Amino acid sequence: MIYLITNMKKNTLLLLAICFNCTLFAQNYLDAKESDPTKMGWMKGFPTSDKTLVLASDGSFFKFPALRYSVCHMRQFLPTTEVSAAQKNRYKFKVKLDNNIDQLKFIPTNSNQKMTWSESLYKNYTDGILILHKGKIVYEKYFGALKPEGVHAAMSVSKTFTGTLGAMLVAEGLLDENKTADFYVPELKNSAFGDATIRQILDMTTSLKYSEDYSDPKAEVWIFSAAGNPLPKPKNYSGPKNYFEYLQTVQKDKGNHGEIFAYKTVNTDVMGWIISRVTGKSLTQLLSEKIWKPLGTHIDGYYQVDASGIAFAGGGFSANIRDMGMFGEMIRKNGYFNKKQILPKSLIEDIMNGGSQEAFRKSVYSSLNNWSYRNMWWITHNENGAFAARGVHGQTIYINPAAEMVIVRFASHPEAKNSKIDPTSLPAYQAVADYLINK
Amino acid sequence: MIYLITNMKKNTLLLLAICFNCTLFAQNYLDAKESDPTKMGWMKGFPTSDKTLVLASDGSFFKFPALRYSVCHMRQFLPTTEVSAAQKNRYKFKVKLDNNIDQLKFIPTNSNQKMTWSESLYKNYTDGILILHKGKIVYEKYFGALKPEGVHAAMSVSKTFTGTLGAMLVAEGLLDENKTADFYVPELKNSAFGDATIRQILDMTTSLKYSEDYSDPKAEVWIFSAAGNPLPKPKNYSGPKNYFEYLQTVQKDKGNHGEIFAYKTVNTDVMGWIISRVTGKSLTQLLSEKIWKPLGTHIDGYYQVDASGIAFAGGGFSANIRDMGMFGEMIRKNGYFNKKQILPKSLIEDIMNGGSQEAFRKSVYSSLNNWSYRNMWWITHNENGAFAARGVHGQTIYINPAAEMVIVRFASHPEAKNSKIDPTSLPAYQAVADYLINK
């Protein structure tokens, strides 16, 4: 997820990047309790003091530890559009809390020392955690700035919603996965997406000359960020004015589409464009009508938008944790939830079958052994058939079919990269799954 | 309601003003059907065309006719914070529509020709209208960009919420109406508010050197606007950085406080500050907890906020029309609604008794014969005891106790001033009241 701020004082661009390859952070952070945003008092007081002021205009709102406040208050900093929750047939979870979970032990993959589930939550700067077992809430906790009725930035978990909607349109026949993007959006003809198929975009096997390396000032991500920035453009700005204008300029890299999994946010934004063009609806409206309302969600979600009102499909969603749980449970139940078939069963099967493990093996994510990527979901291909939506700083919807378990976690880890967070997360999830399977 | 945009191209301030004394508009406008925002296609398409693009950065979002789109989508242009609706005990109105209302006739005060109720809705660029009679919905229509589940900018109807909360704190004893503002907010000591009482602020009888004349480039409203602008401040900006910083600089005018009704938005923002300081809660949080949730509202409302996250108490609220109806009906029923006493009965009596008619007569609003202003409500003192919340461009909550009637109207009239809108509104409301009384 990316956000750019125009720093007018210096008349330059101050770029704020929340990224996947980011190595800008120092190694010593306040721990989860020290950096508790409530304790730190961000934006507290009337008015808040200069020390606790978190600003969009200087980029401070997205720097750790203030980030821990901002992830729960994105709309306070940015223009947004709502993903309306249900007004009728609102779903109510059954709750049967299991206090044993706190004491479950696991060994982090980067350690020899056992850790309890409860300890892992602090280790990972968890803001909210929900565990569903057989559809019932067995565990639910909130930390920091997140309230049960609040929302939290989903970061790249957003991608999974775009991918799922795209795959839904494929299942419904509105999109042909073998057609190229320019068939649906002719403006993409001269871009790298012109000869990329819907399937390649959904599985991110496109070959794009597009770097998300934030340490490189010439990386394309900066142009993307500038285009999507809803603030007024700088004086001499002549670049693309919104996400869609930028996407038309993305060029192809050396390789062919379809060969290597290359996780790049712009694939999702192109998919968002295609979805809107084909349905005549904004991503926010479609998500609300097709998924959020049928689920019976309670809290309006929202997306940050660019100056043209275009939702940031690749990372702009904020949502409530229980509502996310409804989505996860619906996926686990093959698309059926709240007394209706919300998504076709074939679509869920397609996700669970996964994408090309060969293409994934060739990617920079090859350390995630045997995983694949399908419809913007991460498929572990482990013995439990687990698969997940994943976002930087520790966001996830993690589904373990064998354990009949769904975990939703919102977090604000100081490190963006999930490779820093997975060692104390993935084995923790597995420990809960093992416990629930044997329960 | 005021909003300021930094126009970086010219490195100057482009000011966008929605004002009470505004005479900047030309006299010939597209009529309500011609200017229907859906027909005009604002922001329609993926992406929308240059002709239908409505931008915050160039101020176009608040100019008629694009204004007709923006009033229903304020969050898409501005940072906001939510006023959370109820999650339980959500109120459901009984609906018993009365089609006779459309044909009711009245004579506009600026005309000799009869007009039907139905015609008046177009004349006044109505976006949404709700009539409650004895608590039941008897009339409900939506036009333009407003949807039944949507929200609309309430403009200065927002003031009434701030005033009602302030008066509630007086009734609860948390505020002493005879104490001066600096007793609660010492930072106001050297401002005009330093020796103004809570009562004078609530009734806007303060004497402030504060002009809302937008045709005067030196008017104080521009400084207020610049302070509250959530966008990055211009390069050489050295003024106040948020609403509260500005309020401390407001100076006293020649007269004494308490003598003349002088309708100035900053009174409301000072009251918002006092409310937050005394309760330790933001205006949005307090409104949600004390009123919005107890009412059983369905749709989250929201306020636009400044760079410090301070809600624009004087004009920044957007809300749903049925939710506004719940508020109006609660006031009509002496504070009792949805099976609970939400506001003290004494508070409603205080509003209905009104403020000083003498102070009102000395104001620029003297053409509103015998009216007064109390707790940021407009009291007609007519034979039905009608009183109202009022905002520019035609927003209102109009309560007629004798007719057991509440009207909520959202509109996007090309003229800001209610004096342009009242001639076809106030007699229309009275015609419906007369009909309901005799029904």
Side-chain angles (χ1 to χ4, degrees), chain B residues 422-434:
Chain B
D422 284 342
T424 49
S425 292
L426 295 179
Y429 300 163
Q430 190 58 49
V432 178
D434 292 342

Side-chain angles (χ1 to χ4, degrees), chain A residues 155-170 175 198 201-202 204 244 265-276 282-284 286-287 291 303 311-317 327 347 351 373-377 389:
Chain A
M155 316 244 173
S156 287
V157 166
S158 313
K159 291 184 174 65
T160 300
F161 289 90
T162 312
T164 303
L165 285 171
M168 178 195 78
L169 297 178
V170 170
L175 282 178
I198 297 300
I201 294 167
L202 280 172
M204 292 211 199
F244 293 170
T265 298
V266 283
N267 285 293
T268 312
D269 287 283
V270 155
M271 186 47 56
W273 192 1
I274 293 167
I275 286 170
S276 288
S282 67
L283 189 65
T284 48
L286 193 71
L287 179 54
I291 298 181
Y303 274 76
F312 177 26
F317 192 29
F327 176 74
L347 160 59
I351 294 166
Y373 193 76
R374 184 73 166 177
N375 298 325
M376 303 189 186
W377 286 86

Side-chain angles (χ1 to χ4, degrees), chain A residues 194-206:
Chain A
D195 66 343
T197 65
I198 297 300
R199 172 49 52 206
Q200 288 160 345
I201 294 167
L202 280 172
D203 295 353
M204 292 211 199
T205 59
T206 49

Side-chain angles (χ1 to χ4, degrees), chain A residues 276-293:
Chain A
S276 288
R277 184 62 66 80
V278 164
T279 61
K281 292 178 178 173
S282 67
L283 189 65
T284 48
Q285 188 186 351
L286 193 71
L287 179 54
S288 174
E289 289 178 10
K290 291 286 185 177
I291 298 181
W292 228 236
K293 287 188 172 188

Side-chain angles (χ1 to χ4, degrees), chain B residues 76-199:
Chain B
Q76 187 177 325
F77 300 99
L78 302 171
T80 54
T81 55
E82 71 277 8
V83 177
S84 300
Q87 282 297 319
K88 52 187 180 184
N89 302 320
R90 289 157 36 110
Y91 186 79
K92 279 203 176 180
F93 276 114
K94 285 182 183 150
V95 181
K96 199 179 172 188
L97 299 180
D98 183 338
N99 294 323
N100 295 327
I101 292 172
D102 269 328
Q103 296 315 315
L104 294 175
K105 287 196 174 73
F106 66 96
I107 301 175
T109 47
N110 57 358
S111 159
N112 293 319
Q113 280 214 309
K114 281 190 177 174
M115 182 181 280
T116 64
W117 169 263
S118 174
E119 287 164 351
S120 78
L121 301 180
Y122 288 99
K123 189 78 183 167
N124 282 320
Y125 297 78
T126 299
D127 295 324
I129 181 96
L130 179 78
I131 307 179
L132 304 175
H133 182 225
K134 298 180 180 175
K136 286 188 188 134
I137 293 175
V138 293
Y139 194 90
E140 183 177 27
K141 287 205 174 158
Y142 297 89
F143 304 87
L146 189 61
K147 301 280 176 294
E149 291 182 10
V151 298
H152 193 288
M155 315 241 172
S156 288
V157 167
S158 313
K159 290 183 173 65
T160 300
F161 289 90
T162 311
T164 302
L165 284 171
M168 178 194 79
L169 297 178
V170 170
E172 290 177 352
L174 277 167
L175 282 179
D176 178 341
E177 65 179 1
N178 297 315
K179 286 215 155 59
T180 51
D182 65 342
F183 179 81
Y184 299 104
V185 180
E187 297 97 310
L188 289 168
K189 189 168 178 56
N190 297 321
S191 76
F193 302 105
D195 65 345
T197 65
I198 299 299
R199 173 50 53 207

Side-chain angles (χ1 to χ4, degrees), chain B residues 306-343:
Chain B
D306 68 14
S308 297
I310 300 163
F312 177 27
F317 192 28
S318 284
N320 175 265
I321 201 166
R322 282 197 179 196
D323 292 344
M324 284 293 207
M326 292 179 202
F327 175 73
E329 183 65 10
M330 179 269 287
I331 296 290
R332 187 185 77 79
K333 296 290 282 179
N334 293 307
Y336 187 88
F337 189 80
N338 200 20
K339 298 179 185 165
K340 53 187 104 50
Q341 192 72 34
I342 295 173
L343 292 176

Side-chain angles (χ1 to χ4, degrees), chain A residues 5-11 43 45-48 50 53-57 72-73 75-82 84-88 90 149-150 185 187 230-235 241-242 244-245 248 273 276-277 279-283 293 298-303 305-310, chain B residues 5-11 43 45-48 50 53-57 72-73 75-82 84-88 90 149-150 185 187 230-235 241-242 244-245 248 273 276-277 279-283 293 298-303 305-310:
Chain A
I5 301 294
T6 308
N7 185 330
M8 295 177 66
K9 266 192 176 163
K10 299 180 180 169
N11 207 12
M43 300 301 262
F46 305 101
T48 199
D50 285 350
L53 179 65
V54 180
L55 284 176
S57 58
C72 299
H73 300 90
R75 69 180 295 168
Q76 188 177 325
F77 301 99
L78 302 170
T80 54
T81 56
E82 72 277 9
S84 299
Q87 283 297 319
K88 52 187 180 183
R90 301 164 91 219
E149 290 182 11
V185 180
E187 297 97 309
L231 297 181
K233 304 299 183 207
K235 202 175 172 182
K241 295 189 296 293
N242 57 49
F244 293 170
E245 283 191 12
Q248 299 171 53
W273 192 1
S276 288
R277 184 62 66 80
T279 61
K281 292 178 178 173
S282 67
L283 189 65
K293 287 188 172 188
H298 291 211
I299 308 287
D300 287 353
Y302 58 79
Y303 274 76
V305 294
D306 69 14
S308 297
I310 300 164
Chain B
I5 302 295
T6 309
N7 185 330
M8 295 179 66
K9 266 191 176 165
K10 297 180 181 169
N11 207 11
M43 299 301 262
F46 305 99
T48 200
D50 285 351
L53 179 65
V54 180
L55 284 175
S57 57
C72 298
H73 300 90
R75 70 180 293 168
Q76 187 177 325
F77 300 99
L78 302 171
T80 54
T81 55
E82 71 277 8
S84 300
Q87 282 297 319
K88 52 187 180 184
R90 289 157 36 110
E149 291 182 10
V185 180
E187 297 97 310
L231 297 180
K233 305 298 184 209
K235 200 175 172 182
K241 294 188 298 293
N242 58 47
F244 293 169
E245 283 191 12
Q248 299 171 54
W273 192 359
S276 288
R277 184 61 65 83
T279 62
K281 291 178 179 175
S282 68
L283 189 65
K293 286 189 172 189
H298 291 211
I299 308 287
D300 287 353
Y302 58 81
Y303 274 76
V305 294
D306 68 14
S308 297
I310 300 163

